[in-house]
mmCIF file of all heavy atoms in Angstrom:
data_model
loop_
_atom_site.group_PDB
_atom_site.id
_atom_site.type_symbol
_atom_site.label_atom_id
_atom_site.label_comp_id
_atom_site.label_asym_id
_atom_site.label_seq_id
_atom_site.Cartn_x
_atom_site.Cartn_y
_atom_site.Cartn_z
ATOM 1 N N MET J 674 -12.709 -17.880 -8.111
ATOM 2 C CA MET J 674 -11.871 -17.463 -9.239
ATOM 3 C C MET J 674 -10.397 -17.670 -8.934
ATOM 4 O O MET J 674 -9.965 -17.397 -7.812
ATOM 5 C CB MET J 674 -12.043 -15.992 -9.504
ATOM 6 C CG MET J 674 -13.112 -15.666 -10.554
ATOM 7 S SD MET J 674 -12.783 -14.050 -11.240
ATOM 8 C CE MET J 674 -14.321 -13.307 -11.062
ATOM 9 N N THR J 675 -9.645 -18.081 -9.951
ATOM 10 C CA THR J 675 -8.195 -18.201 -9.751
ATOM 11 C C THR J 675 -7.630 -16.762 -9.916
ATOM 12 O O THR J 675 -8.292 -15.841 -10.423
ATOM 13 C CB THR J 675 -7.563 -19.092 -10.825
ATOM 14 O OG1 THR J 675 -7.755 -18.482 -12.102
ATOM 15 C CG2 THR J 675 -8.129 -20.491 -10.807
ATOM 16 N N LEU J 676 -6.353 -16.640 -9.485
ATOM 17 C CA LEU J 676 -5.703 -15.336 -9.600
ATOM 18 C C LEU J 676 -5.680 -14.885 -11.079
ATOM 19 O O LEU J 676 -5.896 -13.680 -11.375
ATOM 20 C CB LEU J 676 -4.272 -15.451 -9.053
ATOM 21 C CG LEU J 676 -3.527 -14.186 -8.915
ATOM 22 C CD1 LEU J 676 -3.501 -13.762 -7.453
ATOM 23 C CD2 LEU J 676 -2.110 -14.298 -9.394
ATOM 24 N N MET J 677 -5.436 -15.808 -11.976
ATOM 25 C CA MET J 677 -5.408 -15.443 -13.393
ATOM 26 C C MET J 677 -6.790 -15.006 -13.895
ATOM 27 O O MET J 677 -6.885 -14.022 -14.635
ATOM 28 C CB MET J 677 -4.940 -16.653 -14.201
ATOM 29 C CG MET J 677 -4.668 -16.305 -15.666
ATOM 30 S SD MET J 677 -4.125 -17.750 -16.581
ATOM 31 C CE MET J 677 -3.182 -16.972 -17.803
ATOM 32 N N GLU J 678 -7.837 -15.670 -13.436
ATOM 33 C CA GLU J 678 -9.187 -15.249 -13.819
ATOM 34 C C GLU J 678 -9.527 -13.866 -13.299
ATOM 35 O O GLU J 678 -10.141 -13.064 -13.978
ATOM 36 C CB GLU J 678 -10.186 -16.287 -13.338
ATOM 37 C CG GLU J 678 -10.187 -17.565 -14.193
ATOM 38 C CD GLU J 678 -10.987 -18.698 -13.586
ATOM 39 O OE1 GLU J 678 -11.106 -18.758 -12.358
ATOM 40 O OE2 GLU J 678 -11.459 -19.516 -14.363
ATOM 41 N N GLU J 679 -9.127 -13.630 -12.046
ATOM 42 C CA GLU J 679 -9.355 -12.297 -11.462
ATOM 43 C C GLU J 679 -8.669 -11.228 -12.312
ATOM 44 O O GLU J 679 -9.246 -10.204 -12.651
ATOM 45 C CB GLU J 679 -8.820 -12.200 -10.041
ATOM 46 C CG GLU J 679 -9.734 -12.772 -9.009
ATOM 47 C CD GLU J 679 -9.285 -12.349 -7.604
ATOM 48 O OE1 GLU J 679 -9.310 -11.174 -7.282
ATOM 49 O OE2 GLU J 679 -8.905 -13.269 -6.835
ATOM 50 N N ALA J 680 -7.406 -11.549 -12.711
ATOM 51 C CA ALA J 680 -6.647 -10.574 -13.525
ATOM 52 C C ALA J 680 -7.309 -10.408 -14.888
ATOM 53 O O ALA J 680 -7.419 -9.316 -15.414
ATOM 54 C CB ALA J 680 -5.190 -11.049 -13.690
ATOM 55 N N LYS J 681 -7.850 -11.535 -15.439
ATOM 56 C CA LYS J 681 -8.519 -11.455 -16.745
ATOM 57 C C LYS J 681 -9.795 -10.588 -16.614
ATOM 58 O O LYS J 681 -10.176 -9.921 -17.584
ATOM 59 C CB LYS J 681 -8.940 -12.822 -17.244
ATOM 60 C CG LYS J 681 -7.792 -13.644 -17.857
ATOM 61 C CD LYS J 681 -8.326 -14.987 -18.338
ATOM 62 C CE LYS J 681 -7.252 -15.882 -18.890
ATOM 63 N NZ LYS J 681 -7.740 -17.203 -19.243
ATOM 64 N N VAL J 707 -0.264 -10.869 -16.137
ATOM 65 C CA VAL J 707 -0.698 -12.140 -15.528
ATOM 66 C C VAL J 707 -1.852 -12.719 -16.337
ATOM 67 O O VAL J 707 -1.915 -13.914 -16.620
ATOM 68 C CB VAL J 707 -1.124 -11.942 -14.047
ATOM 69 C CG1 VAL J 707 -1.785 -13.183 -13.453
ATOM 70 C CG2 VAL J 707 0.109 -11.540 -13.189
ATOM 71 N N ALA J 708 -2.795 -11.859 -16.712
ATOM 72 C CA ALA J 708 -3.981 -12.291 -17.481
ATOM 73 C C ALA J 708 -3.535 -12.934 -18.829
ATOM 74 O O ALA J 708 -4.116 -13.938 -19.294
ATOM 75 C CB ALA J 708 -4.915 -11.135 -17.761
ATOM 76 N N GLY J 710 -0.751 -14.454 -19.271
ATOM 77 C CA GLY J 710 0.108 -15.628 -19.018
ATOM 78 C C GLY J 710 1.594 -15.311 -19.180
ATOM 79 O O GLY J 710 2.407 -16.242 -19.174
ATOM 80 N N ARG J 716 0.770 -18.814 -6.064
ATOM 81 C CA ARG J 716 0.208 -18.814 -4.699
ATOM 82 C C ARG J 716 -0.919 -19.825 -4.652
ATOM 83 O O ARG J 716 -1.843 -19.843 -5.457
ATOM 84 C CB ARG J 716 -0.313 -17.419 -4.350
ATOM 85 C CG ARG J 716 -1.528 -16.924 -5.116
ATOM 86 C CD ARG J 716 -2.835 -17.056 -4.371
ATOM 87 N NE ARG J 716 -3.963 -17.223 -5.280
ATOM 88 C CZ ARG J 716 -5.074 -16.515 -5.221
ATOM 89 N NH1 ARG J 716 -5.189 -15.562 -4.342
ATOM 90 N NH2 ARG J 716 -6.056 -16.758 -6.070
ATOM 91 N N LEU J 877 -5.628 -30.045 -14.815
ATOM 92 C CA LEU J 877 -6.000 -28.619 -14.745
ATOM 93 C C LEU J 877 -7.085 -28.358 -13.756
ATOM 94 O O LEU J 877 -7.118 -27.339 -13.073
ATOM 95 C CB LEU J 877 -6.414 -28.129 -16.130
ATOM 96 C CG LEU J 877 -5.271 -28.031 -17.222
ATOM 97 C CD1 LEU J 877 -5.848 -27.588 -18.546
ATOM 98 C CD2 LEU J 877 -4.189 -27.047 -16.745
ATOM 99 N N GLU J 878 -8.005 -29.325 -13.620
ATOM 100 C CA GLU J 878 -9.113 -29.175 -12.625
ATOM 101 C C GLU J 878 -8.535 -29.073 -11.215
ATOM 102 O O GLU J 878 -8.934 -28.233 -10.426
ATOM 103 C CB GLU J 878 -9.975 -30.427 -12.664
ATOM 104 C CG GLU J 878 -11.348 -30.251 -13.279
ATOM 105 C CD GLU J 878 -12.058 -31.569 -13.287
ATOM 106 O OE1 GLU J 878 -12.293 -32.164 -12.212
ATOM 107 O OE2 GLU J 878 -12.396 -32.037 -14.406
ATOM 108 N N ALA J 880 -5.450 -28.213 -10.440
ATOM 109 C CA ALA J 880 -4.682 -26.939 -10.341
ATOM 110 C C ALA J 880 -5.617 -25.780 -10.108
ATOM 111 O O ALA J 880 -5.351 -24.888 -9.287
ATOM 112 C CB ALA J 880 -3.867 -26.728 -11.608
ATOM 113 N N ARG J 881 -6.767 -25.763 -10.784
ATOM 114 C CA ARG J 881 -7.733 -24.682 -10.618
ATOM 115 C C ARG J 881 -8.262 -24.625 -9.197
ATOM 116 O O ARG J 881 -8.393 -23.587 -8.598
ATOM 117 C CB ARG J 881 -8.953 -24.937 -11.533
ATOM 118 C CG ARG J 881 -8.917 -24.264 -12.889
ATOM 119 C CD ARG J 881 -10.245 -24.495 -13.576
ATOM 120 N NE ARG J 881 -11.313 -23.871 -12.805
ATOM 121 C CZ ARG J 881 -11.620 -22.608 -12.901
ATOM 122 N NH1 ARG J 881 -11.001 -21.838 -13.737
ATOM 123 N NH2 ARG J 881 -12.617 -22.082 -12.147
ATOM 124 N N GLU J 882 -8.576 -25.838 -8.655
ATOM 125 C CA GLU J 882 -9.194 -25.877 -7.350
ATOM 126 C C GLU J 882 -8.295 -25.216 -6.282
ATOM 127 O O GLU J 882 -8.769 -24.549 -5.382
ATOM 128 C CB GLU J 882 -9.451 -27.329 -6.950
ATOM 129 C CG GLU J 882 -10.224 -27.466 -5.674
ATOM 130 C CD GLU J 882 -10.491 -28.906 -5.281
ATOM 131 O OE1 GLU J 882 -10.360 -29.829 -6.153
ATOM 132 O OE2 GLU J 882 -10.844 -29.125 -4.093
ATOM 133 N N TYR J 883 -6.983 -25.436 -6.397
ATOM 134 C CA TYR J 883 -6.037 -24.877 -5.366
ATOM 135 C C TYR J 883 -5.302 -23.639 -5.898
ATOM 136 O O TYR J 883 -4.431 -23.118 -5.220
ATOM 137 C CB TYR J 883 -5.052 -25.981 -5.007
ATOM 138 C CG TYR J 883 -5.727 -27.167 -4.320
ATOM 139 C CD1 TYR J 883 -6.108 -28.260 -5.066
ATOM 140 C CD2 TYR J 883 -5.962 -27.159 -2.945
ATOM 141 C CE1 TYR J 883 -6.767 -29.342 -4.445
ATOM 142 C CE2 TYR J 883 -6.587 -28.205 -2.334
ATOM 143 C CZ TYR J 883 -6.974 -29.327 -3.106
ATOM 144 O OH TYR J 883 -7.595 -30.390 -2.521
ATOM 145 N N ASP J 884 -5.617 -23.215 -7.084
ATOM 146 C CA ASP J 884 -4.858 -22.162 -7.761
ATOM 147 C C ASP J 884 -3.373 -22.416 -7.731
ATOM 148 O O ASP J 884 -2.536 -21.577 -7.403
ATOM 149 C CB ASP J 884 -5.191 -20.796 -7.113
ATOM 150 C CG ASP J 884 -5.060 -19.668 -8.148
ATOM 151 O OD1 ASP J 884 -4.549 -19.964 -9.270
ATOM 152 O OD2 ASP J 884 -5.376 -18.530 -7.837
ATOM 153 N N LEU J 885 -3.072 -23.625 -8.166
ATOM 154 C CA LEU J 885 -1.681 -24.121 -8.215
ATOM 155 C C LEU J 885 -1.075 -23.634 -9.516
ATOM 156 O O LEU J 885 -1.691 -23.802 -10.577
ATOM 157 C CB LEU J 885 -1.776 -25.645 -8.183
ATOM 158 C CG LEU J 885 -0.595 -26.490 -7.896
ATOM 159 C CD1 LEU J 885 -0.035 -26.158 -6.544
ATOM 160 C CD2 LEU J 885 -1.108 -27.968 -7.904
ATOM 161 N N THR J 886 0.157 -23.115 -9.476
ATOM 162 C CA THR J 886 0.844 -22.751 -10.720
ATOM 163 C C THR J 886 1.571 -24.008 -11.235
ATOM 164 O O THR J 886 2.237 -24.681 -10.454
ATOM 165 C CB THR J 886 1.823 -21.617 -10.456
ATOM 166 O OG1 THR J 886 1.080 -20.462 -10.089
ATOM 167 C CG2 THR J 886 2.651 -21.302 -11.695
ATOM 168 N N LEU J 887 1.427 -24.250 -12.532
ATOM 169 C CA LEU J 887 2.091 -25.407 -13.126
ATOM 170 C C LEU J 887 3.479 -24.969 -13.676
ATOM 171 O O LEU J 887 3.570 -23.937 -14.326
ATOM 172 C CB LEU J 887 1.262 -25.984 -14.275
ATOM 173 C CG LEU J 887 -0.106 -26.470 -13.896
ATOM 174 C CD1 LEU J 887 -0.813 -27.010 -15.143
ATOM 175 C CD2 LEU J 887 -0.042 -27.573 -12.792
ATOM 176 N N VAL J 917 0.595 -25.061 -22.385
ATOM 177 C CA VAL J 917 0.496 -23.710 -21.764
ATOM 178 C C VAL J 917 -0.797 -23.064 -22.194
ATOM 179 O O VAL J 917 -1.561 -22.509 -21.387
ATOM 180 C CB VAL J 917 1.695 -22.851 -22.194
ATOM 181 C CG1 VAL J 917 1.414 -21.382 -21.909
ATOM 182 C CG2 VAL J 917 2.971 -23.268 -21.451
ATOM 183 N N ARG J 918 -1.088 -23.140 -23.506
ATOM 184 C CA ARG J 918 -2.321 -22.514 -24.020
ATOM 185 C C ARG J 918 -3.545 -23.066 -23.346
ATOM 186 O O ARG J 918 -4.453 -22.325 -22.960
ATOM 187 C CB ARG J 918 -2.366 -22.723 -25.548
ATOM 188 C CG ARG J 918 -3.378 -21.874 -26.203
ATOM 189 C CD ARG J 918 -3.265 -21.904 -27.705
ATOM 190 N NE ARG J 918 -2.033 -21.319 -28.185
ATOM 191 C CZ ARG J 918 -1.599 -21.309 -29.440
ATOM 192 N NH1 ARG J 918 -2.367 -21.914 -30.351
ATOM 193 N NH2 ARG J 918 -0.495 -20.761 -29.803
ATOM 194 N N ARG J 919 -3.589 -24.406 -23.196
ATOM 195 C CA ARG J 919 -4.795 -25.001 -22.553
ATOM 196 C C ARG J 919 -4.913 -24.595 -21.090
ATOM 197 O O ARG J 919 -5.994 -24.360 -20.562
ATOM 198 C CB ARG J 919 -4.728 -26.514 -22.680
ATOM 199 C CG ARG J 919 -5.104 -26.980 -24.085
ATOM 200 C CD ARG J 919 -4.838 -28.455 -24.312
ATOM 201 N NE ARG J 919 -5.573 -29.339 -23.428
ATOM 202 C CZ ARG J 919 -5.340 -30.673 -23.330
ATOM 203 N NH1 ARG J 919 -4.378 -31.194 -24.084
ATOM 204 N NH2 ARG J 919 -6.074 -31.415 -22.497
ATOM 205 N N ALA J 920 -3.758 -24.460 -20.402
ATOM 206 C CA ALA J 920 -3.782 -24.019 -19.001
ATOM 207 C C ALA J 920 -4.380 -22.604 -18.921
ATOM 208 O O ALA J 920 -5.249 -22.307 -18.117
ATOM 209 C CB ALA J 920 -2.384 -24.045 -18.410
ATOM 210 N N ARG J 921 -3.880 -21.751 -19.806
ATOM 211 C CA ARG J 921 -4.360 -20.355 -19.753
ATOM 212 C C ARG J 921 -5.861 -20.284 -20.032
ATOM 213 O O ARG J 921 -6.587 -19.487 -19.377
ATOM 214 C CB ARG J 921 -3.658 -19.535 -20.851
ATOM 215 C CG ARG J 921 -2.190 -19.230 -20.512
ATOM 216 C CD ARG J 921 -1.523 -18.555 -21.687
ATOM 217 N NE ARG J 921 -0.129 -18.222 -21.369
ATOM 218 C CZ ARG J 921 0.732 -17.798 -22.301
ATOM 219 N NH1 ARG J 921 0.368 -17.686 -23.547
ATOM 220 N NH2 ARG J 921 1.957 -17.488 -21.964
ATOM 221 N N GLN J 922 -6.359 -21.128 -20.937
ATOM 222 C CA GLN J 922 -7.790 -21.135 -21.223
ATOM 223 C C GLN J 922 -8.591 -21.484 -20.002
ATOM 224 O O GLN J 922 -9.722 -21.011 -19.806
ATOM 225 C CB GLN J 922 -8.093 -22.125 -22.340
ATOM 226 C CG GLN J 922 -7.762 -21.580 -23.734
ATOM 227 C CD GLN J 922 -7.664 -22.689 -24.775
ATOM 228 O OE1 GLN J 922 -7.838 -23.865 -24.481
ATOM 229 N NE2 GLN J 922 -7.412 -22.297 -26.020
ATOM 230 N N GLU J 923 -8.020 -22.317 -19.116
ATOM 231 C CA GLU J 923 -8.718 -22.736 -17.880
ATOM 232 C C GLU J 923 -8.413 -21.819 -16.721
ATOM 233 O O GLU J 923 -8.781 -22.120 -15.565
ATOM 234 C CB GLU J 923 -8.350 -24.176 -17.540
ATOM 235 C CG GLU J 923 -8.785 -25.196 -18.565
ATOM 236 C CD GLU J 923 -10.274 -25.159 -18.818
ATOM 237 O OE1 GLU J 923 -11.022 -25.080 -17.830
ATOM 238 O OE2 GLU J 923 -10.678 -25.187 -19.996
ATOM 239 N N GLY J 924 -7.706 -20.742 -16.961
ATOM 240 C CA GLY J 924 -7.378 -19.802 -15.849
ATOM 241 C C GLY J 924 -6.314 -20.318 -14.910
ATOM 242 O O GLY J 924 -6.197 -19.891 -13.760
ATOM 243 N N VAL J 925 -5.480 -21.260 -15.430
ATOM 244 C CA VAL J 925 -4.401 -21.787 -14.598
ATOM 245 C C VAL J 925 -3.078 -21.208 -15.016
ATOM 246 O O VAL J 925 -2.739 -21.199 -16.196
ATOM 247 C CB VAL J 925 -4.352 -23.344 -14.734
ATOM 248 C CG1 VAL J 925 -3.129 -23.940 -14.046
ATOM 249 C CG2 VAL J 925 -5.623 -23.974 -14.169
ATOM 250 N N GLN J 926 -2.314 -20.680 -14.068
ATOM 251 C CA GLN J 926 -1.050 -20.077 -14.408
ATOM 252 C C GLN J 926 -0.020 -21.213 -14.728
ATOM 253 O O GLN J 926 0.002 -22.248 -14.083
ATOM 254 C CB GLN J 926 -0.487 -19.258 -13.229
ATOM 255 C CG GLN J 926 -1.382 -18.127 -12.806
ATOM 256 C CD GLN J 926 -0.713 -17.272 -11.792
ATOM 257 O OE1 GLN J 926 0.024 -16.359 -12.116
ATOM 258 N NE2 GLN J 926 -0.943 -17.556 -10.524
ATOM 259 N N ALA J 927 0.805 -20.927 -15.746
ATOM 260 C CA ALA J 927 1.804 -21.935 -16.153
ATOM 261 C C ALA J 927 3.094 -21.303 -16.556
ATOM 262 O O ALA J 927 3.106 -20.250 -17.253
ATOM 263 C CB ALA J 927 1.239 -22.788 -17.331
#
Side-chain angles (χ1 to χ4, degrees):
M674 267 204 231
T675 64
L676 189 102
M677 188 181 207
E678 285 170 330
E679 277 193 66
K681 281 183 184 174
V707 171
R716 68 101 208 231
L877 290 177
E878 252 177 60
R881 266 186 63 83
E882 187 181 343
Y883 297 92
D884 208 351
L885 195 57
T886 295
L887 300 179
V917 163
R918 192 170 294 173
R919 283 170 61 190
R921 287 174 179 170
Q922 282 163 358
E923 295 303 316
V925 172
Q926 300 188 86

